[in-house]
Amino acid sequence: MSQLDTRVPAVLLRIDRNPFHHGTLGAVRSLGRAGIDVHLVAEVTRSPVRRSRFAGRLHPPPPPGATPADIAGVLLRVAARIERPAVLIPMDDAGAVAVSRLRTELASAYLLPQQPAALPERIADKAELAALCAAADVPHPVTVVPDSASQAASAAWRLGLPVMAKWSRPWLLPAGSGLRSTVVVRSPQEARELYVRSEEAGSRLLLQEFLPPGTDRDWFFHGYADRAGTLRGGGPGRKLCAWPRGAGLTAVGEWVPNPELRALAERLTAQLGYRGILDLDFRRCDTTGRYHLLDFNPRPGAQFRLFTDTAGLDVVRAQHLDLTHRPLPDGRALPGRTFVVENYAPLTALRRTAPDSRELAWHAGDDTAPGRAMWNLWTAHVTRRLLRRFGAAGAAGVRPRVVRQGPPPRRP
């Protein structure tokens, strides 16, 4: 990708402290291979990403619970060290929302897509997404935002159990709370109990019509909306395997042509005036055949490298090219290409395929250290979880022994 302006560095921001976020590694490799100086603002002490030979400079992230002023301070200190404008790419929703709020403060130091400052926050908020989809005529599951615990219980019943319960701003969920961003609710009482924890969650609870997962139902669309609003650097994909199974992260994904999905993505971005990288999640309704938008993420999806065309273009390279006023090459799509996350789908990762038809999340022939580090860390992670699970089960299942002391023996 000699088309990229290698004089302009890239800064990748990740606020979420998940050590196994393979999308961050994908962005580091994509830009680093193109000769871009990559600065990573993230917690990588326990992450395989720090082992990548393409990670140029590592910077400490904002502290947990950081305010916008804290985040601005971190990014401006990084910019002062770089001493020239850089392309800033948030890798998670929290980072995307923070950067959109701080556009004025960051404009002199970073190159950013030009769009309404509040837009990334609106589309990332799952409670507001329903209204945005309605305005753009994009199908979206029936969604209710209750105002009380009793309303939550009655809404769950009216929608038809089971229903999906989501926190509108999942990036605000406190660590260690046990709250999950999305959960299947199977009774009105469960909905009531979740609503009671709204203050703890930091955002509104919404209840959504349940569309069952299944074969050929879970889809996604990645892209970069350039200065003219044209979607580049991505495409439609189908989720073949998820972690956890049935609903979760893409463990195996495939690039599949889908004109209907592309049309929905183009309609929504045009209606909103969105500019920048996007990751859309869809689920096809088996009854109507319509694709319903479940999530609009204003940042790269973890499997964005699936959509690398014959010109080597992907969404992070597209953003760097566009913001440095370089032309984006016209590559040919590669439908049938797959993306595999080895620790989630190890058997699929072991299958032999043509090198150009598949990309692994962690292993790469020109950057082997992160793959080795991932397996060491993943083994330790799984071992800790199993020990905690068996320890808890053992503690729950062990009953205290009752030793009855008999009377002292009689003296002869």
Side-chain angles (χ1 to χ4, degrees):
M1 288 295 295
S2 59
Q3 299 97 330
L4 273 75
D5 189 342
T6 57
R7 298 169 300 175
V8 181
V11 174
L12 306 179
L13 170 66
R14 182 163 180 84
I15 295 177
D16 183 354
R17 300 193 167 218
N18 174 16
F20 296 105
H21 188 261
H22 48 274
T24 302
L25 177 60
V28 167
R29 284 174 170 166
S30 178
L31 295 169
R33 286 169 177 152
I36 301 299
D37 184 16
V38 179
H39 292 254
L40 181 57
V41 183
E43 175 51 63
V44 293
T45 304
R46 296 174 49 252
S47 172
V49 177
R50 69 190 301 267
R51 304 286 186 179
S52 174
R53 70 184 186 91
F54 298 110
R57 181 89 179 259
L58 305 178
H59 304 269
T67 65
D70 295 331
I71 298 171
V74 168
L75 291 174
L76 291 175
R77 284 193 294 273
V78 171
R81 293 175 184 174
I82 296 175
E83 297 183 330
R84 60 190 187 277
V87 173
L88 176 58
I89 304 178
M91 296 302 301
D92 59 8
D93 289 344
V97 170
V99 169
S100 70
R101 289 180 177 179
L102 298 167
R103 172 177 297 279
T104 301
E105 293 91 329
L106 300 176
S108 62
Y110 291 102
L111 304 179
L112 301 169
Q114 297 299 311
Q115 63 180 339
L119 185 55
E121 188 168 2
R122 290 182 63 205
I123 59 180
D125 188 316
K126 301 179 190 302
E128 295 196 30
L129 185 59
L132 296 175
C133 286
D137 193 25
V138 171
H140 185 75
V142 178
T143 302
V144 176
V145 183
D147 291 327
S148 66
S150 59
Q151 279 191 17
S154 61
W157 184 263
R158 289 198 313 273
L159 286 170
L161 295 166
V163 298
M164 297 301 299
K166 300 181 178 181
W167 298 107
S168 63
R169 301 187 172 197
W171 62 90
L172 298 179
L173 290 175
S177 66
L179 291 169
R180 298 174 57 187
S181 60
T182 303
V183 65
V184 178
V185 167
R186 303 185 183 278
S187 71
Q189 182 60 27
E190 287 182 18
R192 182 189 299 272
E193 291 171 356
L194 271 180
Y195 183 88
V196 170
R197 303 185 70 180
S198 296
E199 184 175 352
E200 180 186 359
S203 65
R204 293 177 291 176
L205 177 72
L206 59 92
L207 300 173
Q208 198 170 79
E209 173 191 10
F210 180 74
L211 298 177
T215 305
D216 199 38
R217 292 180 186 173
D218 287 315
W219 291 73
F220 45 85
F221 186 94
H222 293 198
Y224 172 75
D226 65 16
R227 284 170 291 160
T230 303
L231 291 178
R232 306 290 300 276
R238 178 172 54 195
K239 187 183 295 187
L240 302 180
C241 178
W243 177 271
R245 183 177 298 179
L249 301 171
T250 299
V252 183
E254 180 185 16
W255 190 344
V256 181
N258 191 321
E260 184 178 353
L261 219 60
R262 175 173 286 278
L264 289 173
E266 290 174 344
R267 184 190 310 160
L268 185 59
T269 52
Q271 176 77 21
L272 298 174
Y274 182 83
R275 300 292 182 269
I277 298 173
L278 55 90
D279 166 26
L280 310 179
D281 289 324
F282 291 89
R283 180 163 291 170
R284 185 177 61 83
C285 176
D286 211 30
T287 304
T288 65
R290 304 179 76 196
Y291 292 93
H292 291 249
L293 180 66
L294 302 182
D295 291 310
F296 189 134
N297 303 303
R299 40 77 179 169
Q303 69 272 20
F304 78 90
R305 286 288 298 166
L306 168 63
F307 303 106
T308 306
D309 65 17
T310 56
L313 189 69
D314 59 34
V315 294
V316 298
R317 289 183 176 183
Q319 177 158 328
H320 196 283
L321 287 163
D322 187 49
L323 296 184
T324 55
H325 296 267
R326 294 293 183 102
L328 276 64
D330 292 318
R332 179 172 51 84
L334 295 172
R337 195 165 188 265
T338 59
F339 185 88
V340 181
V341 186
E342 302 96 302
N343 50 320
Y344 299 152
L347 295 180
T348 304
L350 290 173
R351 295 175 188 165
R352 292 189 177 184
T353 60
D356 294 339
S357 68
R358 184 181 71 173
E359 177 141 350
L360 298 177
W362 297 103
H363 176 75
D366 62 346
D367 190 29
T368 59
R372 294 195 301 269
M374 182 278 294
W375 282 119
N376 292 333
L377 291 166
W378 185 253
T379 300
H381 170 73
V382 171
T383 301
R384 285 193 301 269
R385 294 191 65 176
L386 289 174
L387 288 174
R388 284 198 299 266
R389 180 176 298 178
F390 288 131
V398 174
R399 295 181 179 180
R401 293 179 59 193
V402 178
V403 179
R404 298 187 182 278
Q405 185 175 353
R410 293 181 181 180
R411 292 182 180 179

